[in-house]
Amino acid sequence: MNDAHEHGQQEQHERLRELLGAHVLGHLVAPEADAVRAHLDGCAGCRAEVAELEPLVARLDAVDPTHLDERPSPAGDLGARIHSGVAAERAAREARAREDERAAARHRSRRRTTLLAAAAAVVVVALASGIALGRASAPQPPAVPLEAISLEVDGPGQQGEGGIELESAGLVAHTWGTELRFVGTGFEEGVVYRAAFRDSGGRLTPAGEFLGTGAAEMSCQLQSALLRPEVVAVVVTDAEGETVLSSEV
Ligand SMILES: [Zn+2]
């Protein structure tokens, strides 16, 4: 098949396609009617179009002509009308499909929400029963063996009115290291303090840092990897590195 032939077929297709509307309405006479029939035999696209147009013919019979365009239209315009009718029908069908899809999405979303709510309820029930179980069966937390120490306030300006005051201080020996606990007031607000443990070799092992809260009481738990038997002293220094608390232990 050469290009010219193909081109001719394409042109014929375009030309005859315009007549399909008139064809389904039975408005064509020879030779156009014959040409359309012959073309339909060999053109699947046009056959499909006719198949779409045919159901509309019955509907067109029911159309009130006064609702059509005001201009009296020539018969040749019918095909175009049917084409636009088909386009409108297609648009409506697509709109319905979109609406269906939206409804399905809303349904899915509702179902998802329901599932989520159900899942959340299960979690809440699990948590609630966990708490109930915890209350009922958890052993009393073992009392932490706190070794009280006398942490002395050092340094000029730290003692006295507005200075550091300790309510309690102690060490906890853990398998993984040593913890310093104390409750006190008077650590200058916003100042970073550092705690450390000294071992028998004089080395300082950091045990963490904390921010002063001024007059507000604070409860600190500072931890280090140094094991309790290694610890010979506790030292807390201020931002300048000056010792503010210390204790031989
Ligand atoms: Zn065709």
Side-chain angles (χ1 to χ4, degrees):
M1 198 177 280
N2 61 51
D3 283 356
H5 185 77
E6 258 182 57
H7 183 70
Q9 284 214 323
Q10 183 60 27
E11 265 187 359
Q12 192 189 35
H13 166 78
E14 295 295 345
R15 186 170 56 80
L16 293 177
R17 201 166 150 268
E18 296 302 316
L19 297 174
L20 293 180
H23 166 74
V24 296
L25 288 172
H27 287 181
L28 287 184
V29 292
E32 283 176 329
D34 297 333
V36 167
R37 270 195 294 272
H39 177 71
L40 283 173
D41 282 344
C43 179
C46 285
R47 279 203 301 277
E49 191 130 4
V50 165
E52 265 190 288
L53 291 175
E54 273 169 340
L56 286 165
V57 174
R59 271 189 220 194
L60 277 181
D61 288 343
V63 168
D64 180 350
T66 59
H67 286 169
L68 296 177
D69 277 354
E70 56 298 339
R71 281 184 299 114
S73 45
D77 190 33
L78 267 176
R81 276 181 185 288
I82 291 179
H83 274 294
S84 64
V86 169
E89 175 66 19
R90 229 179 239 150
R93 204 163 51 209
E94 279 165 15
R96 277 198 302 275
R98 277 196 301 275
E99 182 48 41
D100 287 351
E101 173 53 32
R102 274 198 293 272
R106 276 197 299 274
H107 179 71
R108 279 196 301 275
S109 148
R110 264 201 304 277
R111 223 178 49 186
R112 201 159 46 228
T113 307
T114 309
L115 281 176
L116 280 176
V122 168
V123 169
V124 166
V125 167
L127 284 176
S129 56
I131 288 164
L133 270 176
R135 276 209 202 102
S137 63
Q140 289 293 317
V144 182
L146 188 72
E147 176 196 345
I149 59 171
S150 56
L151 205 50
E152 303 296 329
V153 178
D154 295 338
Q158 301 297 344
Q159 282 139 323
E161 198 69 19
I164 296 171
E165 282 182 50
L166 288 186
E167 195 177 290
S168 66
L171 293 180
V172 180
H174 293 285
T175 53
W176 42 259
T178 308
E179 181 178 340
L180 166 66
R181 291 188 181 180
F182 66 83
V183 178
T185 58
F187 292 90
E188 201 180 328
E189 195 163 350
V191 169
V192 174
Y193 294 86
R194 292 182 172 81
F197 294 134
R198 186 180 295 124
D199 63 21
S200 55
R203 274 191 310 263
L204 283 173
T205 300
E209 49 189 41
F210 60 94
L211 211 52
T213 57
E217 184 181 90
M218 61 181 198
S219 173
C220 274
Q221 301 182 3
L222 300 150
Q223 296 161 350
S224 126
L226 198 64
L227 291 170
R228 174 64 189 90
E230 312 292 322
V231 179
V232 299
V234 176
V235 182
V236 175
T237 52
D238 64 12
E240 278 79 46
E242 298 293 326
T243 300
V244 295
L245 295 173
S246 67
S247 177
E248 304 291 322
V249 295

